[in-house]
Amino acid sequence: MSKTTISVIKADVGSFPGHSRTHPKLLEKAARLLKEQKGLLLIDSFVTHCGDDLELIMTHTQGVDNGEIHKLAWDVFTECTVIAKSMKLYGAGQDILADAFSGNIKGLGPGVAEIEFEERGSDPVLIFMADKAELGAWNFFLYKIFADPFNTPGLVIDPTMHQGFIFEVHDLCDKRRIMFTSPEEVYDLLAYIGAPSRYVIKHVFRRDGEIAASTSTQRLNLMAGRYVGKDDPVMIVRSQSGLPAVGEVLEPFCTPVLVAGWMRGSHQGPFMPVGVCDANCTRFDGPPRVTCLGFQLCNGELIGPADMFDDPAFDRVRNRCNELADIIRAQGPFEPHRLSLDEMECTTLPAGENELKKRWGPIP
Ligand code: F6R
Ligand code: MG
Ligand code: MG
C-alpha cells in the first residue's frame, strides 16, 4: 500500500485591514486552484486561514519535499498575490521572497510542515495553525502531549505508548539538530526547548520510528534579511491507537501560555486557542491565535474538518488569556512584555537605534 503525505504550506500574501485577516477572495482562489489538482497531483485539499496567513492543507502520494507539490503551493501564493495587489490588501505578497520558484519552497518565504506515513486502519490527524507567534510556540505543547504523564495518561496506561517518544530538536541559529528520547532525557530536552526563540521541536517519533508530529521551521527574518514579522508556524499531529488521544493532544491548550510575537513581532502575549471564525487578530494586532482542524484520513481523502477549538470547553482558557493580556499589556514598552534585546535584533528596533549611536558617550 502506498504511503500518504500531508503537506501544510502557509504564507501571508496580503490581508485586511492591516495584518488582521485573509480576504475571502484569496481563500476562494486558493481552494479552486487546489481542487483543480484533485485526482491529478493531489488526492485532496482544504484551504483555510489563521489571521493573515493563508493555509494550504494538501494530501498526496509524492512524499515530503516534493518539487511539484511545492511548486503548486508557490503558484497558488503567487496567483493570490496578484489578487491581493489588485485590491491593495495590506502586505500583498509579503511572504513571497523570491522572483521565481527554484525547486523547493523552503527558503523562499512560506512555512512548511509535512508528514508521510502508511495509513492505519483509522488515522485521525490534527492540523494546528498559528498567527502572531514564533516558530518555537509549539515546544511547550509538544512536550506536554508526548512527554508529560500529567497531561497524557496514555504514557502511563497504554502499553503501546509506554516506551515514550523521540524528539528531533533544531537549533535555528547554528543550523544543527539533535535527537532526545523521553522519558530518559527529558531534562536535557527541556534545557533546550525551554528557549523557544532558538531551539524548536521539528519532529516527534514513537520509539518504533513511527512519525507522530511535524512542525514548520522556516525563519522568515533570516530568509528575508530584514524584519518581516514572526513566522506564524503550523504543526501536524497524528493521534489515537498508540499515539496520544485527540483529547490528550488538545489538553495542553487549556493552559494560557505566553509566546513571542503579537504586536510588531516584538511582544510576549498569551497564545489563545480559537475557532476559525475567531481567527482574526484585533487587539494590539492579536493576541496570538492558534486554530486546530481535525480530520480522519481515508486513503488520503480528508474527512472533515472539525473545528476543534470552536467549543465552550475552551472558553475558560480564552478568558484567562484575555486576563493575561490585560496584565502584560499594562507593562507597555517594558520587558518582559517587550522581547529581550537579543530577540529585538530581528525587529525594526535596531534601525531606530542607529540614529542615536553618535549621541552616546563614555561615562565620566
Ligand atoms: C506582527 C504583525 C503586526 C505588524 C504591525 C506593523 O507579526 O504582523 O503586528 O508588525 O501591524 O506593521 P507594519 O510595519 O506593516 O505597519
Ligand atoms: Mg501580515
Ligand atoms: Mg501572520
Side-chain angles (χ1 to χ4, degrees):
M1 195 185 142
S2 69
K3 290 185 173 180
T4 301
T5 310
I6 305 175
S7 299
V8 183
I9 308 188
K10 48 89 34 184
D12 176 355
V13 294
S15 50
F16 87 104
H19 290 281
S20 60
R21 67 178 78 185
T22 306
H23 195 280
K25 282 198 171 160
L26 272 53
L27 294 164
E28 278 165 31
K29 178 75 176 177
R32 201 166 54 71
L33 289 172
L34 292 189
K35 283 295 169 229
E36 282 172 7
Q37 289 298 321
K38 189 173 174 137
L40 300 170
L41 204 47
L42 301 181
I43 302 174
D44 207 352
S45 61
F46 190 80
V47 171
T48 185
H49 80 109
C50 185
D52 58 9
D53 291 281
L54 179 58
E55 318 273 358
L56 313 181
I57 301 169
M58 299 171 282
T59 56
H60 53 91
T61 53
Q62 316 292 318
V64 302
D65 273 332
N66 178 270
E68 285 185 276
I69 299 293
H70 285 203
K71 167 113 178 30
L72 173 62
W74 178 261
D75 290 343
V76 170
F77 292 138
T78 48
E79 292 217 27
C80 287
T81 296
V82 173
I83 299 175
K85 286 189 171 159
S86 74
M87 289 193 288
K88 289 181 71 179
L89 292 186
Y90 199 71
Q94 178 189 287
D95 292 356
I96 300 297
L97 301 179
D99 295 331
F101 181 73
S102 54
N104 189 310
I105 204 165
K106 291 177 184 168
L108 303 184
V112 183
E114 299 186 295
I115 202 166
E116 184 191 26
F117 54 91
E118 203 163 297
E119 275 186 36
R120 299 171 292 169
S122 185
D123 229 303
V125 175
L126 300 171
I127 314 281
F128 292 87
M129 294 152 277
D131 191 30
K132 310 294 185 265
E134 69 179 353
L135 294 174
W138 306 127
N139 284 6
F140 171 90
F141 302 97
L142 286 170
Y143 177 82
K144 297 284 282 185
I145 295 165
F146 290 103
D148 182 1
F150 281 72
N151 179 84
T152 303
L155 294 166
V156 179
I157 293 170
D158 183 347
T160 59
M161 279 170 59
H162 198 71
Q163 274 101 13
F165 289 87
I166 299 167
F167 291 77
E168 178 184 332
V169 176
H170 288 196
D171 175 349
L172 296 176
C173 295
D174 285 349
K175 295 205 165 59
R176 48 184 190 154
R177 71 169 182 177
I178 188 169
M179 302 291 204
F180 291 111
T181 53
S182 92
E184 302 93 308
E185 299 181 313
V186 289
Y187 297 160
D188 296 318
L189 172 67
L190 286 166
Y192 289 100
I193 64 168
S197 63
R198 175 164 178 176
Y199 299 100
V200 301
I201 299 169
K202 176 68 185 173
H203 295 119
V204 182
F205 303 93
R206 209 163 53 187
R207 290 294 265 268
D208 62 4
E210 187 76 17
I211 181 100
S214 177
T215 69
S216 63
T217 49
Q218 287 69 40
R219 213 169 166 190
L220 209 46
N221 293 323
L222 291 184
M223 291 185 265
R226 64 187 156 81
Y227 166 75
V228 194
K230 285 291 182 229
D231 296 294
D232 308 337
V234 289
M235 165 168 88
I236 308 169
V237 182
R238 295 175 67 204
S239 174
Q240 305 285 162
S241 306
L243 294 168
V246 167
E248 289 168 334
V249 177
L250 298 177
E251 179 65 10
F253 292 90
C254 289
T255 303
V257 171
L258 291 170
V259 296
W262 210 352
M263 175 58 77
R264 297 177 185 277
S266 307
H267 294 82
Q268 295 286 349
F271 203 31
M272 183 186 276
V274 292
V276 176
C277 64
D278 291 320
N280 306 305
C281 289
T282 51
R283 181 183 180 184
F284 202 54
D285 282 1
R289 312 263 159 150
V290 50
T291 58
C292 174
L293 292 185
F295 298 94
Q296 283 291 143
L297 279 184
C298 180
N299 306 318
E301 297 271 344
L302 290 162
I303 310 298
D307 190 348
M308 304 308 286
F309 293 137
D310 180 16
D311 187 303
F314 292 94
D315 281 350
R316 198 165 137 70
V317 65
R318 287 191 273 267
N319 287 338
R320 296 176 76 200
C321 283
N322 277 325
E323 270 173 42
L324 199 46
D326 284 343
I327 292 165
I328 199 154
R329 276 296 303 126
Q331 286 188 214
F334 287 82
E335 296 178 8
H337 180 29
R338 199 186 79 175
L339 300 188
S340 63
L341 276 183
D342 56 329
E343 288 177 81
M344 294 297 286
E345 286 297 318
C346 298
T347 70
T348 45
L349 182 74
E353 264 190 304
N354 278 339
E355 285 295 300
L356 296 170
K357 271 194 180 131
K358 50 185 173 299
R359 287 180 45 195
W360 280 90
I363 298 171

